[in-house]
Amino acid sequence: FVEVNGWMGAARSTIDSKDVIGNGYRSFWLSTIDSGSRPEMVVTINGHLGLEGGTVICRSGSECTLNCVAALGCDTAEYLCETGATCNISPSQCDGTINTHQGITCPTRTTTNNVDQYMEEKYERNQELYDAFDDFIDEMLENDEYDKEFAFEMDSII
C-alpha cells in the first residue's frame, strides 16, 4: 500500500504496489505506477494534478482500476493497457473517447503489445521534460527553497 499526501511526494518515482493513493498536489508527477505481475491493482488520484505527466501501467494478466477523483488529478496522465490486461477506470466515461467528464479530466488511454518498448520510446520523447525536472530538483536542493520562476518554466514544458 502506497499513500502520498505531500506536494510532489513521489514525483518521478516508480511505484510498485497493489493499492496506490495520491492525495497531494502533484503527488505522482511524472511517475510510473506499474501493476507488474500482480493480479490486480487500484490507483486512486485525489490530489490536484496528482498524476500529471505520469503513467499507470496495467500489464497482461492484471486487472487494474484507475480512479480519477480530483478534477485535474489525471490531467496529462496516461493509462497504458497491455494486451491481455483488464483496464477499468472511474469515471467509466473516460474510456478513451472523451477528454473530460463532469469536470474530471480523463487520462490518455493507450493499448500496446509491448509495454517496455512503449515506455522506452515515451522516455526518449519526453527526455527534455525529465531533464528539466531533474534541474528543478537540483536547484531546490542547492538553494533549499522553492523557486517559483523555475516552477513556472516547468509548467510551460508540460
Side-chain angles (χ1 to χ4, degrees):
F1 176 75
V2 173
E3 182 174 7
V4 178
N5 295 307
W7 171 70
M8 291 184 13
R12 196 154 180 234
S13 297
T14 299
I15 308 297
D16 181 13
S17 180
K18 179 183 179 217
D19 296 300
V20 180
I21 300 173
N23 295 318
Y25 173 61
R26 288 186 166 158
S27 48
F28 295 113
W29 190 23
L30 302 176
S31 292
T32 300
I33 302 170
D34 193 335
S35 68
S37 60
R38 286 184 181 73
E40 56 186 48
M41 178 178 73
V42 177
V43 178
T44 302
I45 305 299
N46 297 313
H48 181 67
L49 300 172
L51 189 58
E52 183 181 32
T55 305
V56 173
I57 299 172
C58 189
R59 294 194 182 257
S60 181
S62 295
E63 180 172 352
C64 305
T65 301
L66 173 57
N67 298 307
C68 298
V69 179
L72 294 173
C74 293
D75 189 47
T76 72
E78 184 169 26
Y79 194 13
L80 183 57
C81 301
E82 189 170 45
T83 304
T86 302
C87 297
N88 305 306
I89 191 161
S90 177
S92 60
Q93 292 81 0
C94 288
D95 59 3
T97 61
I98 62 172
N99 294 327
T100 60
H101 177 71
Q102 294 183 347
I104 304 288
T105 302
C106 300
T108 301
R109 296 210 31 180
T110 304
T111 301
T112 183
N113 290 321
N114 189 331
V115 166
D116 297 321
Q117 179 182 344
Y118 182 90
M119 289 302 292
E120 189 174 308
E121 292 168 0
K122 180 178 181 175
Y123 186 82
E124 288 173 12
R125 282 191 312 271
N126 293 319
Q127 187 63 50
E128 179 185 354
L129 175 60
Y130 298 131
D131 289 347
F133 179 82
D134 291 344
D135 291 344
F136 173 65
I137 296 301
D138 289 345
E139 184 174 311
M140 283 180 54
L141 292 172
E142 280 179 25
N143 298 323
D144 197 31
E145 63 184 47
Y146 175 64
D147 185 330
K148 291 183 175 122
E149 182 178 327
F150 194 81
F152 179 75
E153 291 172 24
M154 287 295 299
D155 284 340
S156 68
I157 292 172
I158 294 176

